[in-house]
Amino acid sequence: MQPLNLPTYTFKIKSKENNYAIFDIIRKKYMVLTPEEWVRQHIVHYLIEEKKYPISLIAVEKKLTINNLTKRTDVLVFNTLGLPEIIVECKAPSVKITQATFDQIARYNLKLKANYLIVTNGLTHYFCKMDLENECYVFLENIPNYANNS
């Protein structure tokens, strides 16, 4: 897999039925190692190891229903009250981040009302804080560490 613009982590990877699988510490099982999964696993480890978010507050591929359609958030981080704090949308490194990507995460956030959004393809990252009063997002250099946010 290609190197990403994130710190490097040690992953459990195994060969499985002519594919590779990567161990997801949140779902506690091996997942097919696609380029998007590679990005997802890096961002999960980034949130845990660099930003110090507890594993217990992180969900991966959490279902939500929007207009009677089932969707899944790539990564969802909750606060200590169990409310959505951060939504992460991951794309494969080959996928350019476009307005459509922001529209997708914004639709999810109409329902979830998280305080922060992250959009990444592993190479380019966008960190946003929601400004609910003005109904827009403000771009940030990064998201706060868990200790500064809890």
Side-chain angles (χ1 to χ4, degrees):
M1 285 282 150
Q2 92 178 73
L4 301 176
N5 187 12
L6 287 161
T8 53
Y9 301 104
T10 303
F11 296 106
K12 290 189 214 170
I13 297 175
K14 69 179 185 180
S15 181
K16 182 180 178 185
E17 300 162 13
N18 298 331
N19 283 319
Y20 285 97
I22 188 167
F23 189 76
D24 181 328
I25 61 172
I26 305 299
R27 293 178 278 188
K28 295 182 174 37
K29 64 182 182 178
Y30 280 90
M31 305 304 298
V32 174
L33 183 51
T34 62
E36 184 179 323
E37 191 65 41
W38 183 239
V39 172
R40 184 171 22 246
Q41 291 306 315
H42 273 78
I43 205 77
V44 164
H45 283 261
Y46 176 78
L47 290 167
I48 295 165
E49 296 182 34
E50 313 307 322
K51 295 296 180 176
K52 306 301 183 197
Y53 284 86
I55 289 176
S56 61
L57 297 180
I58 300 173
V60 173
E61 292 202 317
K62 182 99 172 122
K63 282 186 188 177
L64 75 149
T65 305
I66 300 174
N67 298 330
N68 295 322
L69 298 172
T70 300
K71 303 289 184 182
R72 291 179 194 271
T73 59
D74 283 313
V75 180
L76 185 55
V77 181
F78 296 92
N79 64 22
T80 53
L81 300 174
L83 300 172
E85 186 65 21
I86 304 168
I87 305 171
V88 184
E89 180 59 33
C90 300
K91 299 295 183 193
S94 61
V95 176
K96 189 171 175 12
I97 307 266
T98 64
Q99 184 61 48
T101 313
F102 282 96
D103 293 347
Q104 177 184 2
I105 200 169
R107 276 192 304 277
Y108 293 176
N109 205 34
L110 284 173
K111 178 139 188 163
L112 296 170
K113 299 184 180 6
N115 291 315
Y116 296 94
L117 306 178
I118 301 172
V119 176
T120 182
N121 63 5
L123 304 174
T124 304
H125 322 290
Y126 296 95
F127 304 98
C128 310
K129 178 170 180 35
M130 295 307 302
D131 178 347
L132 298 175
E133 192 174 307
N134 296 309
E135 296 183 343
C136 65
Y137 33 81
V138 178
F139 287 93
L140 305 171
E141 288 287 316
N142 209 323
I143 57 162
N145 290 339
Y146 176 71
N148 302 341
N149 202 25
S150 53

